Amino acid sequence: MSFVIDQVRRIDLQLKRLQSSSESLRNALGTSDTASDRRGQGKDSPQIKDVEKTLEILSAESSSRPPLLHRNSLLGLLEQSHLLQKTQPTPDYERETAVYLKELEWLIVCKIASQTYGLILDSLLERAILLSDDIWYWEECLGSYAYTSLYSVQTAPIRFWAWSKDIYRESRRRFESLKNSEQTEFLEKQAISDRWTRFYGLVRDSIRDRSLAQLQSKAIYPLTSYRDEMREKEAYLKKLREMLASGLGVLMDEALTFDTDDESLATSKNRPQDANIEEWKSTVAKSVALMEVVLGNVTNLEVSVSEFEDTVFMKVEEDHEIAQHPSADAGESARVTLLASRLQNILKICIPRHVALSKDLAREHGRPPYIVRYWFPATMVLLSSSTLLRIFFKRRAEILTWIRDLGSTVEDFWFNWVVDPLKRVIGTIRHDSSSEVAIMSKESLADDKASLERMVIDFAMDNSESGMGTQLSQADVAEIAGKVREGYLTLVLKAYEKDLRRPIVGALWGDLIRALFIQLQKSKVDVEVAMGGIDTLLKSQELVFGFVGLTPGILVCVGVYQWLRSLSGNRASRMKGTRQGRMILMLRNIDRILTASTPSSNGMLSYKEHGLLLCEVHQLRQSAKGFPVKINRAFLEELADLVEIRTGVQRQLKVVERIRCYFFPWLS
């Protein structure tokens, strides 16, 4: 929502306050039984029904109806209300009905005038903002000799065409002067081929003379003419933007300004009601004239901004036809019809003509069209298209193979590095047994421990029978098994140490080899115990390992997405930077406008400076849509204070500083 819509809604609210403060309007438009009886004879007339229906459409406040109606819709409402038809004086018995109808017609004129006012403001604002982009384009071209050279290449066909036409006109002029000279009889006697040869000679002379003149002017500074042309176009666009801004400021400050504050309403109560009604009707009439004059003169760049403003106010003051104060009912009806016809002329002729003329001026002096800027690469592509097609058909099989390989690579990457790791992470979170990380199985350690126990028990039983001649009891076996589970191998180690004193005898007739294998089994069990600890540690960090395996695929996907997103962005957004950077530049422009302004005697901005300020504030407001709700509401309040020029330039500068101070986190 822009300040244009706010301005239109403010005018509608002022009209409602005028209705409530005007006694004659309350009596004419009242809903009481007395008011209904007074207009009872004419309430069923088709004209009154059409007028009431039109007023109901214009007064409707709903989310389905746009704040600003389309130009064609307003023209249709004007025709539907019959305001363009001159009405005849009514008899005395229809006096109350005529008053009621007259007030309804005035309200319709006021509401259509406010809608037209909003359309004009929106058009001026849109054109001024678009011109800012073109001005920025020329400033960028002037800031670099490389861009200037590129511009010379881009406009080379246009210059060649203009140069060819000049050569043709100059050659034709020389040939005509030669025919009108004393050699006419001689030329008539010559053959047609000789005449064409002479004409081609004149063309060569014209080319040589013009080429020498251009060569002398460009010998020292070859890019001077191009830069002068760009400066001229930039100055033209700046002048047009200033004119549009001045028209915007004039309409914002002077059109449809009703004194509806409490102090003004209290003062108006001491004056006659007819004077108050006539005052706001005169304001509407002058505003319609002002809108028409502004649209007719805002694109006249032959005058200065001050001359434009003086011309506008002078023509409005001289427009006695629309600012007259008739007293009779017939004159009042004619005045309404005249205002309606002027509004129809604005909507049907002035606004389309202004938009078309503004676009033509911007197209003529703005950035070159796409066909001019990109004709060279398009020509290169067109000329090399046959070669490219020949290469494509010659290597079609290889290209298709590359495409298939690329597709399979992308598919394998997606499933092997994104989908599968993600499934494992989800399985870990859900404690899926198939997704557990394990180095060894759970049954392996138990089997090896049981085997070690049996080996040690058998060794102890064999040694006890051979050494002591007594067999071990079940209690002794259980005790040995318990010690083995705790790592006890003293019995085996003692036998191993004993046989190690005589290794050969121990190996052949002793238990050296058997003890050695038992120790190997013990080492195997110790290794498996250590591996079990590592396995437990891995299981405790299983989710971490899952995310580590998923991270490379996610990073690659995010990087590719950001790259594709950067490619999809247009050139303008990349050059202008982020939203915060643009808002900082807008604040800088606002500060420059206020600082470099020349306030009037009451400390207010001029019309041109006010219009430029509104353009920057409108863009700043549109850029703040991404703010949080409360921050956005506070930011809009500050912008409303910023465009309030009646407070003076100094207070507006303080508002700029307050915005920079309190909204810095959202601007940086």
Side-chain angles (χ1 to χ4, degrees), residues 587-610:
L587 275 178
R588 170 186 173 271
N589 294 336
I590 292 173
D591 199 351
R592 292 190 63 189
I593 292 172
L594 295 175
T595 305
S597 62
T598 54
S600 59
S601 57
N602 53 5
M604 295 172 55
L605 294 173
S606 64
Y607 296 123
K608 181 191 74 174
E609 293 161 349
H610 188 199

Side-chain angles (χ1 to χ4, degrees), residues 401-582:
T401 303
W402 294 342
I403 295 174
R404 284 193 296 268
D405 292 343
L406 178 61
S408 61
T409 301
V410 173
E411 181 182 3
D412 293 341
F413 170 79
W414 175 255
F415 285 103
N416 296 333
W417 289 93
V418 179
V419 177
D420 291 343
L422 186 60
K423 288 181 178 179
R424 287 195 292 269
V425 170
I426 295 175
T428 302
I429 295 174
R430 299 176 60 183
H431 292 285
D432 189 2
S433 59
S434 61
S435 64
E436 291 183 355
V437 179
I439 300 177
M440 52 177 292
S441 62
K442 297 179 180 180
E443 294 79 7
S444 177
L445 180 60
D447 293 341
D448 289 337
K449 284 185 176 182
S451 176
L452 180 62
E453 290 179 8
R454 290 192 298 271
M455 292 172 65
V456 174
I457 291 173
D458 292 341
F459 183 82
M461 293 178 64
D462 293 341
N463 282 314
S464 63
E465 292 177 357
S466 61
M468 296 177 289
T470 59
Q471 189 177 3
L472 294 177
S473 62
Q474 292 295 330
D476 295 335
V477 172
E479 181 181 0
I480 292 173
K483 290 182 178 181
V484 170
R485 283 193 292 270
E486 295 177 359
Y488 175 77
L489 291 179
T490 305
L491 181 63
V492 177
L493 292 176
K494 287 182 177 180
Y496 176 73
E497 293 172 358
K498 178 181 178 182
D499 292 336
L500 194 59
R501 295 174 184 174
R502 291 182 295 176
I504 298 176
V505 176
L508 296 177
W509 294 281
D511 298 322
L512 180 61
I513 297 177
R514 187 178 182 184
L516 182 60
F517 281 111
I518 292 175
Q519 292 184 64
L520 290 176
Q521 181 67 16
K522 177 64 169 59
S523 300
K524 181 181 178 182
V525 171
D526 291 340
V527 170
E528 290 184 354
V529 170
M531 295 294 291
I534 297 175
D535 198 10
T536 304
L537 181 62
L538 291 177
K539 289 181 180 179
S540 65
Q541 303 295 324
E542 189 173 359
L543 188 60
V544 176
F545 291 119
F547 279 110
V548 169
L550 182 62
T551 300
I554 297 297
L555 289 178
V556 172
C557 292
V558 171
V560 172
Y561 171 75
Q562 293 293 340
W563 179 67
L564 294 176
R565 185 178 179 183
S566 64
L567 290 180
S568 62
N570 55 16
R571 180 174 179 268
S573 62
R574 291 197 300 270
M575 287 190 298
K576 291 183 179 179
T578 59
R579 181 193 65 184
Q580 290 82 358
R582 294 196 301 269

